[in-house]
Amino acid sequence: NAGVTQTPKFRVLKTGQSMTLLCAQDMNHEYMYWYRQDPGMGLRLIHYSVGEGTTAKGEVPDGYNVSRLKKQNFLLGLESAAPSQTSVYFCASSYRDTEAFFGQGTRLTVV
Amino acid sequence: AQSVTQLDSHVSVSEGTPVLLRCNYSSSYSPSLFWYVQHPNKGLQLLLKYTSAATLVKGINGFEAEFKKSETSFHLTKPSAHMSDAAEYFCVVSEAGAGSYQLTFGKGTKLSVIP
């Protein structure tokens, strides 16, 4: 029973480097989300997807891109990492507006 | 637009005493409301959810919450705190029927339990 799996769990990047975070879910959920968590800010939505091949911007999309080529996967890309993108990133999936299931998070540090 | 306000950033209780974590929401449609818990360096776990059925919702680990439409509140309670309840709690709103499936999070309430 994997649920939502994020890779990698930890990463350190240098400013200007690029990387992709992978989220995979095995619950056949239509909706998938990427959030970032910063102290005192709660979780803020970066991008989300309501189905394969569709994506939409959330509250804090700048500096990130996403793709949903397969229903079970949702990729988050950073083209040119900045120190302000140091955060913990969470992926989640849900069946429409029911409860979301979260991955264990990716701790990203940009130096 | 939907929004969530958690009225306390930090709550401290003694073990065995009641817990009250307060949440107010704003929603243009019939909301779905959730409480999630996050233990240190862990992911988020669903505690309970309200989706327009009974207004008093029971969750895991003895927690419950009451949906009060007139007060736009969804406060989380537990009769007796346990040391293992120390964690951060998030109130979350999703607007059913709005065509928008974003989950909006409150900023979180950190619960400390004193032995």
Side-chain angles (χ1 to χ4, degrees):
Chain A
N1 235 9
V4 179
T5 304
Q6 292 181 231
T7 52
K9 290 185 170 47
F10 302 94
R11 185 73 186 268
V12 178
L13 283 180
K14 293 183 178 178
T15 298
Q17 286 185 319
S18 64
M19 77 164 294
T20 300
L21 282 66
L22 171 63
C23 177
Q25 54 98 1
D26 61 2
M27 295 171 283
N28 202 34
H29 285 162
E30 290 292 334
Y31 303 151
M32 296 188 75
Y33 315 83
W34 276 107
Y35 289 88
R36 61 177 290 172
Q37 183 178 27
D38 302 291
M41 303 293 289
L43 274 76
R44 293 180 292 168
L45 183 65
I46 304 171
H47 287 279
Y48 65 101
S49 168
V50 300
E52 182 178 324
T54 70
T55 63
K57 294 180 180 180
E59 180 185 355
V60 289
D62 293 342
Y64 305 95
N65 57 76
V66 288
S67 64
R68 183 100 181 266
L69 298 180
K70 293 183 179 181
K71 186 177 183 179
Q72 64 268 34
N73 295 337
F74 195 31
L75 279 62
L76 178 70
L78 286 73
E79 290 185 348
S80 179
S84 60
Q85 295 177 303
T86 293
S87 188
V88 181
Y89 292 85
F90 286 98
C91 176
S93 71
S94 71
Y95 176 70
R96 297 198 175 191
D97 60 346
T98 59
E99 70 267 29
F101 294 81
F102 286 82
Q104 289 301 299
T106 297
R107 189 172 295 273
L108 175 66
T109 302
V110 183
V111 298
Chain B
Q2 58 195 33
S3 66
V4 176
T5 302
Q6 291 184 242
L7 297 167
D8 306 290
S9 59
H10 190 202
V11 169
S12 184
V13 301
S14 296
E15 190 175 18
T17 64
V19 176
L20 169 64
L21 305 182
R22 299 181 294 165
C23 173
N24 287 120
Y25 70 92
S26 172
S27 174
S28 303
Y29 297 85
S30 300
S32 294
L33 292 158
F34 311 88
W35 276 99
Y36 283 84
V37 60
Q38 184 181 33
H39 290 278
N41 299 313
K42 299 290 186 184
L44 285 87
Q45 179 185 18
L46 180 70
L47 270 182
L48 49 80
K49 63 181 177 181
Y50 166 78
T51 54
S52 76
T55 56
L56 182 62
V57 181
K58 294 188 184 301
I60 61 172
N61 300 334
F63 284 94
E64 62 182 39
E66 186 172 8
F67 173 70
K68 292 187 176 181
K69 187 174 181 179
S70 60
E71 299 176 10
T72 61
S73 70
F74 191 57
H75 300 335
L76 181 70
T77 61
K78 183 174 180 177
S80 176
H82 191 272
M83 294 299 295
S84 61
D85 295 328
E88 190 156 22
Y89 293 79
F90 293 96
C91 183
V92 182
V93 64
S94 174
E95 287 188 319
S100 169
Y101 300 103
Q102 302 179 31
L103 300 174
T104 300
F105 281 73
K107 294 191 186 312
T109 298
K110 188 163 291 187
L111 176 66
S112 298
V113 182
I114 303 165

